[in-house]
Amino acid sequence: MTDQSDIVDHPVTYDVVVAGGGNAALCAAIAARRAGASVIVLEAASKFYRGGNTRHTRNMRCAHDAATATLSGPYTEDEFWDDLLRVTEGQTNEQLARLMIRESKDMLDWIVEQGVRFQPSLGGTLSLGRTNSFFLGGGRAMLNALYLTAELLGVDVRYEAEVVGLEMDDGRFRAAIVQHGNGRMRIGGKALVAAAGGFESNIDKLVEGWGEIARNFLIRGTPNNRGTVLDMLLGAGVDSIGDPTQCHAVAIDARAPKYDGGIITRLDCVVFGIVVNNNAERFYDEGEDVWPKRYAIWGRLVATQPNQIAYIIFDAKSANLFMPSLYPAIEAAGITELAGKLDLDPDKLTTTVAQFNASVRAGSFNPDILDDCRTENLAPPKSHWARRLDSAPFYAYPVRPGITFTYLGVRVDHAARMMMKAGGPADNMYAAGEIMAGNVLGRGYAAGIGMTIGSVFGRIAGRGAATHAAQ
């Protein structure tokens, strides 16, 4: 049994204890406080690094009926549902997904009321101007606005306050044990909102699902999401949902740091060239669909390749069509020279490029739609945006799997209450954000949905927790 002798009781028992400090946690805290509850937010990171993966976000996908000052056209609930169904291949809880989509229509106004500002979509965002709202100043500015609002409302925020224990009794939360400084503190609460993220920064836990190849993965976001709260909840009888190998995983620059590289290490140029593995062979259709609906499959694809590395290759025609990585592309005057710089077999790469070029059937190239530029008699094909690689100089980016967040989490109901393995909902425990994203995302991803899940279920969980505390 864990030694309890050094635990000090906090003098205040809160109506709502929120574990986590990102978008979902803040939306829950604000909603609960606006409903009259006393609230504490427990953020494991320092103030500078607060906010988890939200710090690295740019936008949020919400349904809306008409164009706005920052959105170029309508995005109906049915279209949102169709997009979600396509990327998840049906692996989603339809009731919860449709609830999220319906509630997202109101979220655009609600989030602005909490101080967040939007801007017109940026250039190079590849078809998101109609569907996704972009935060003015990015994810960190959004977080700053939410924290300011929470603090002005009287939410108690504690930094470097890691939840290391949960006192629970048959689905009822009693208190959180928090490591703060050199000591531990017991913080009691009438309700819990778990919004502490997934386990993507816990490499050993990734290895449990993926095997040793996971040691070659890079973690795009915070190093703090180690799955500690999730493990405690599942160990206490909360029901799980999702596959431990399913996650938001994109192809990021292989030169990125192990943790916290963020969006500036993501590569959005796959559709404009070809992708080869360590054997200089293509392995998937680079032009299968518009990028926001396919970018999150490429981390998983690269994970299955030798040594978990691949190379995006393009030519001068495409060099200015996308937002570049933090790191410069590798440049060469010819394919043979490029192969040498990438340590690839020059004959194999030359053959791969020649076969691709010979298969291209010219059409009307248009980077903004599913155009008619494709290959014929090539396996795998390139369905759209296929153009010959024939304009020097030639460029390449090395890429590895970049894990953003994991989908294994806690099962919830329509009120964001955790569901217990023994049946029925927990008495006073709610969840929002990445820790329950697997309810909506069984697999796949479309740009901005993570922020939608966090905002919508954060507000639902906060309101539900406040209502419970008032009873």
Side-chain angles (χ1 to χ4, degrees):
M1 179 177 294
T2 303
D3 181 20
Q4 305 286 307
S5 61
D6 65 334
I7 298 176
V8 177
D9 285 327
H10 190 278
V12 176
T13 295
Y14 293 86
D15 292 328
V16 179
V17 175
V18 179
N23 167 54
L26 270 293
C27 286
I30 289 169
R33 184 67 188 129
R34 288 195 181 280
S38 59
V39 183
I40 187 170
V41 169
L42 302 172
E43 166 60 288
S46 65
K47 185 174 183 178
F48 181 82
Y49 286 108
R50 68 185 181 185
N53 289 336
T54 304
R55 292 186 296 116
H56 299 301
T57 62
R58 292 190 298 176
N59 59 78
M60 179 167 63
R61 182 179 294 253
C62 292
H64 48 277
D65 294 326
T68 71
T70 58
L71 290 161
S72 62
Y75 185 51
T76 66
E77 292 182 42
D78 286 341
E79 185 180 0
F80 194 156
W81 166 248
D82 288 343
D83 286 341
L84 180 61
L85 198 62
R86 187 177 303 112
V87 298
T88 61
E89 298 179 358
Q91 295 189 35
T92 184
N93 181 313
E94 182 171 355
Q95 180 189 24
L96 293 180
R98 288 191 179 275
L99 169 65
M100 177 197 74
I101 292 168
R102 184 169 62 251
E103 291 288 318
S104 77
K105 294 179 75 171
D106 182 50
M107 190 54 60
L108 286 174
D109 290 332
W110 187 84
I111 206 80
V112 169
E113 291 170 1
Q114 314 318 314
V116 177
R117 295 292 177 261
F118 293 113
Q119 65 180 31
S121 60
L122 305 173
T125 56
L126 300 175
S127 310
L128 292 176
R130 182 175 63 85
T131 60
N132 289 40
S133 295
F134 280 70
F135 307 122
L136 180 63
R140 190 180 287 274
M142 183 232 193
L143 275 171
N144 289 344
L146 292 180
Y147 269 101
L148 178 60
T149 295
E151 290 163 355
L152 289 174
L153 289 171
V155 172
D156 189 356
V157 177
R158 300 294 177 91
Y159 299 108
E160 300 180 70
E162 182 183 2
V163 176
V164 295
L166 292 172
E167 293 184 2
M168 294 174 280
D169 181 18
D170 293 329
R172 182 172 181 80
F173 168 74
R174 302 292 187 183
I177 307 302
V178 178
Q179 183 73 42
H180 186 65
N182 295 323
R184 292 189 296 168
M185 182 173 292
R186 178 185 290 106
I187 301 178
K190 297 178 182 178
L192 169 73
V193 176
F199 59 86
E200 65 276 0
S201 61
N202 187 334
I203 301 298
D204 289 338
K205 195 168 181 66
L206 289 176
V207 167
E208 291 177 12
W210 284 88
E212 288 299 314
I213 65 171
R215 300 202 186 278
N216 285 331
F217 296 174
L218 302 176
I219 314 306
R220 295 177 69 208
T222 174
N224 294 310
N225 283 4
R226 300 187 52 80
T228 308
V229 172
L230 173 62
D231 284 346
M232 288 187 287
L233 292 169
L234 299 183
V238 176
D239 197 13
S240 66
I241 191 168
D243 179 340
T245 70
Q246 290 295 332
C247 55
H248 179 338
V250 305
I252 70 171
D253 200 302
R255 298 163 291 183
K258 186 68 174 180
Y259 298 98
D260 233 4
I263 201 164
I264 58 174
T265 62
R266 193 179 89 191
L267 276 308
D268 291 338
C269 51
V270 166
V271 297
F272 299 127
I274 63 172
V275 184
V276 301
N277 60 20
N278 234 4
N279 298 323
E281 298 168 338
R282 292 178 60 248
F283 52 90
Y284 198 79
D285 183 349
E286 299 93 347
E288 185 177 43
D289 204 341
V290 293
W291 189 237
K293 298 176 185 177
R294 284 295 179 269
Y295 80 100
I297 70 171
W298 279 89
R300 179 174 293 275
L301 290 171
V302 175
T304 65
Q305 300 307 304
N307 302 117
Q308 295 72 59
I309 194 165
Y311 304 89
I312 306 169
I313 297 174
F314 56 99
D315 68 5
K317 294 192 300 295
S318 300
N320 297 315
L321 293 178
F322 58 91
M323 298 181 75
S325 165
L326 171 66
Y327 303 92
I330 297 166
E331 180 180 340
I335 295 298
T336 299
E337 180 187 347
L338 188 64
K341 291 185 174 182
L342 301 177
D343 200 25
L344 298 177
D345 185 307
D347 292 335
K348 284 187 176 181
L349 184 60
T350 299
T351 298
T352 295
V353 172
Q355 289 174 341
F356 173 78
N357 286 347
S359 73
V360 170
R361 297 298 175 259
S364 300
F365 177 78
N366 187 331
D368 298 320
I369 63 172
L370 293 172
D371 69 8
D372 59 353
C373 297
R374 59 185 176 82
T375 61
E376 284 185 358
N377 301 317
L378 185 70
K382 185 171 183 182
S383 301
H384 306 280
W385 309 294
R387 295 194 294 175
R388 292 169 58 88
L389 300 176
D390 58 10
S391 300
F394 299 90
Y395 301 93
Y397 283 109
V399 291
R400 287 198 181 277
I403 309 300
T404 309
F405 66 91
T406 48
Y407 293 174
L408 176 68
V410 297
R411 190 182 300 274
V412 299
D413 66 7
H414 67 282
R417 291 180 300 178
M418 299 182 208
M419 302 299 292
M420 305 300 294
K421 293 177 185 175
D427 180 68
N428 64 345
M429 299 194 299
Y430 302 77
E434 294 173 8
I435 201 169
M436 50 69 61
N439 290 270
V440 175
L441 294 170
R443 64 181 301 166
Y445 191 77
I449 287 183
M451 292 298 287
T452 314
I453 293 171
S455 298
V456 168
F457 286 100
R459 185 171 67 162
I460 292 172
R463 288 173 173 175
T467 297
H468 178 91
Q471 293 174 353

